[in-house]
Amino acid sequence: MTSAAPEEGYERGLGSRQVQMIAIGGAIGVGLFMGAGANIAKAGPSIILMYALAGVVVFFIMRALGELLLYRRSTGSFAEYIREFLGPFFGYVTGWTYWLLWVVTGMAELTAAAIYINFWFPSIPQWVSALVFLVVLFGVNLISVKVFGEVEFWFSMVKVTAIIGMIVIGLGVLTLGFSDAGDTAAASNLWSHGGFFPNGIGDSLMTLQGVMFAYIAVELVGVTASESEDPEKTLPKAINTLPWRIIIFYVGALTVLLAVVKWTEFSAGESPFVHGFSKIGIPLAAGIVNFVVLTAALSSCNSGMYSTGRMLRDLATSGEGPRIFARLNLRKSPAIGITFSVLFMAIGVLLNYVVPEKAFTYVTSVSTACGIWTWLMILFAHIRYRRAFRAGRLPASSFPAPGGSVFSWVAVVFLLFVTCLVAYDKDGRVSLYVGAGWAVCLVIGWYVLKARGGAQPLDQSDAAEPEYARR
């Protein structure tokens, strides 16, 4: 029940409200709801500055991606632009690395979701919950992009509503003094307990690797471009509202939280929002926030299945992956690619069966390294595009990045600095070891691919190498 014609194209089934909410939801995940606890314990109130700094860089990345997406319409993903400006090898590496990013993120989110279910039903084995979620989300992604968009819309709505509710309640505690935390809640908590940098600037900077993990998924907007009803309108709006989402959902939420509860009370392995609501004394606070975090995990896994299927199809139509992944089912969904990805995500279910206490740790460290590589390739592709545009070889984009390629270079330097921090940290260094092994596998795969005739698009007339890339 599939169509082999790669040029048939996706269904443009994502409306404006769905693209906007997918963009918002991509900025709110387990990295905020759970990961912020460990970062607060390391950096104190200065974690607010770290999230703000990383958010500015992520905005530079997204503006660079936006200019590429709207300089010409793409039928694939952002890997198509990397292939055009950096060459087939880098497009191949980025496509498969982005696939790996979402596969391992899907494993991590399935594990997290199973842990959250144990909060209410401790007798259910962790692997059973992970398997049930995997099957349900798999079905959602096979039906149609409209169903995916609608499910993701409501997942994101829950997260957004919860964060806004937390901010409003926290401001109420600070201004009106109600609740159990009213006597100690004050803005002075942001600097009174060891200062704004209680452990020094060095420890604060070391949290950047965890902070950047929280922002992975914002580039998902670039994958939805080929299935958006009106990308020229919806994509600029989704990208330009990113600073407001960062200010509200990260900087705003953490500022209010750390003013209500002093930073010394937070620790790793615990959601700071669950702890904060418990201090305020709101009934069922832990259960409410646990539901929100469960929603965040399922939302991320849902997005992972969506993006991996599209990335595999892009690789297949470019001759950089098995051609069977180019097929669409009757609902114009890359069902075979999604199924292949889900089979790898099922390894996460196996880990939950074998080592449930370590499953989450085993897979999360890889995501950051994959995300940094993907962002760097987007930035370098943008820099090459701007060079060709200035030389008059390519047309202008309808959504130019401010400052041309200047801020792309700023973002490149920042990401390389974060990579150095990862290498310096003994725990984070594991992701670089995994990344090195993955790189070896990709290089071997590339030479095998070339030995079998090279990376040739399925349809030479539609997917021929652009003139700029040949130069």
Side-chain angles (χ1 to χ4, degrees), residues 282-308:
I282 296 178
L284 304 177
I288 294 171
V289 178
N290 194 73
F291 172 76
V292 174
V293 177
L294 171 64
T295 302
L298 294 178
S299 171
S300 182
C301 187
N302 189 43
S303 297
M305 290 184 187
Y306 170 88
S307 60
T308 52

Side-chain angles (χ1 to χ4, degrees), residues 21-77:
M21 197 56 73
I22 288 172
I24 292 173
I28 310 171
V30 176
L32 171 63
F33 286 117
M34 289 296 293
N39 292 329
I40 292 172
K42 290 180 181 178
S46 67
I47 193 61
I48 300 169
L49 179 60
M50 297 300 107
Y51 274 102
L53 177 62
V56 171
V57 173
V58 168
F59 179 63
F60 293 160
I61 297 169
M62 291 304 296
R63 284 305 302 258
L65 177 59
E67 184 166 12
L68 290 174
L69 290 171
L70 295 180
Y71 113 79
R72 68 171 177 82
R73 291 286 290 272
S74 167
T75 58
S77 67

Side-chain angles (χ1 to χ4, degrees), residues 354-406:
V354 178
V355 282
E357 71 285 352
K358 296 181 179 180
F360 190 78
T361 304
Y362 281 169
V363 294
T364 50
S365 63
V366 183
S367 295
T368 301
C370 293
I372 289 176
W373 171 269
T374 300
W375 288 338
L376 283 171
M377 292 302 101
I378 290 172
L379 292 168
F380 283 128
H382 176 252
I383 291 168
R384 293 290 298 273
Y385 162 74
R386 292 295 304 186
R387 186 180 301 169
F389 166 69
R390 289 194 302 269
R393 295 196 298 269
L394 289 176
S397 172
S398 61
F399 188 47
S405 59
V406 172

Side-chain angles (χ1 to χ4, degrees), residues 12-16 18-19 73 146 225 227-232 234:
R12 292 193 175 275
L14 294 178
S16 176
Q18 292 170 325
V19 172
R73 291 286 290 272
K146 289 184 178 180
E227 294 175 89
S228 302
E229 292 176 351
D230 187 6
E232 285 81 4
T234 57

Side-chain angles (χ1 to χ4, degrees), residues 140-468:
V140 166
N141 275 270
L142 285 185
I143 297 173
S144 73
V145 68
K146 289 184 178 180
V147 175
F148 159 78
E150 200 62 30
V151 170
E152 194 60 27
F153 174 86
W154 290 108
F155 275 160
S156 297
M157 184 66 75
V158 170
K159 293 187 287 185
V160 170
T161 303
I163 289 288
I164 293 176
M166 292 174 187
I167 293 174
V168 170
I169 292 172
L171 290 174
V173 173
L174 289 170
T175 56
L176 302 177
F178 66 84
S179 87
D180 296 343
D183 294 337
T184 57
S188 59
N189 283 333
L190 297 175
W191 60 81
S192 296
H193 305 282
F196 191 69
F197 294 92
N199 297 323
I201 296 179
D203 278 4
S204 296
L205 290 175
M206 288 301 296
T207 64
L208 282 174
Q209 51 185 308
V211 169
M212 294 307 292
F213 170 76
Y215 286 116
I216 289 176
V218 295
E219 74 291 327
L220 185 63
V221 172
V223 182
T224 66
S226 59
E227 294 175 89
S228 302
E229 292 176 351
D230 187 6
E232 285 81 4
K233 179 180 178 181
T234 57
L235 292 180
K237 185 177 180 180
I239 292 172
N240 279 336
T241 55
L242 179 62
W244 291 109
R245 299 198 298 272
I246 292 171
I247 290 172
I248 294 173
F249 300 128
Y250 281 89
V251 177
L254 290 174
T255 299
V256 171
L257 181 66
L258 292 176
V260 172
V261 181
K262 58 185 180 180
W263 73 271
T264 53
E265 296 191 20
F266 297 103
S267 60
E270 175 187 39
S271 170
F273 293 97
V274 172
H275 182 82
F277 268 47
S278 299
K279 289 289 293 184
I280 293 174
I282 296 178
L284 304 177
I288 294 171
V289 178
N290 194 73
F291 172 76
V292 174
V293 177
L294 171 64
T295 302
L298 294 178
S299 171
S300 182
C301 187
N302 189 43
S303 297
M305 290 184 187
Y306 170 88
S307 60
T308 52
R310 273 70 184 171
M311 190 59 70
L312 286 178
R313 184 171 189 265
D314 176 71
L315 289 164
T317 55
S318 301
E320 296 165 359
R323 297 194 172 192
I324 194 173
F325 293 148
R327 295 177 179 269
L328 299 175
N329 63 12
L330 294 181
R331 296 180 180 273
K332 297 186 177 181
S333 175
I336 297 176
I338 293 173
T339 303
F340 178 78
S341 301
V342 167
L343 291 176
F344 274 86
M345 289 183 186
I347 296 175
V349 176
L350 179 62
L351 288 175
N352 278 280
Y353 177 76
V354 178
V355 282
E357 71 285 352
K358 296 181 179 180
F360 190 78
T361 304
Y362 281 169
V363 294
T364 50
S365 63
V366 183
S367 295
T368 301
C370 293
I372 289 176
W373 171 269
T374 300
W375 288 338
L376 283 171
M377 292 302 101
I378 290 172
L379 292 168
F380 283 128
H382 176 252
I383 291 168
R384 293 290 298 273
Y385 162 74
R386 292 295 304 186
R387 186 180 301 169
F389 166 69
R390 289 194 302 269
R393 295 196 298 269
L394 289 176
S397 172
S398 61
F399 188 47
S405 59
V406 172
F407 292 116
S408 289
W409 279 115
V410 172
V412 166
V413 172
F414 181 85
L415 291 177
L416 293 177
F417 173 67
V418 173
T419 303
C420 291
L421 294 177
V422 172
Y424 181 76
D425 181 59
K426 63 178 181 179
D427 295 326
R429 205 176 299 150
V430 174
S431 64
L432 298 183
Y433 297 148
V434 174
W438 176 246
V440 171
C441 293
L442 288 177
V443 170
I444 293 174
W446 177 256
Y447 281 108
V448 170
L449 186 68
K450 298 294 285 186
R452 293 182 175 181
Q456 297 296 327
L458 286 181
D459 188 338
Q460 292 292 338
S461 62
D462 289 342
E465 189 178 23
E467 182 181 357
Y468 170 70

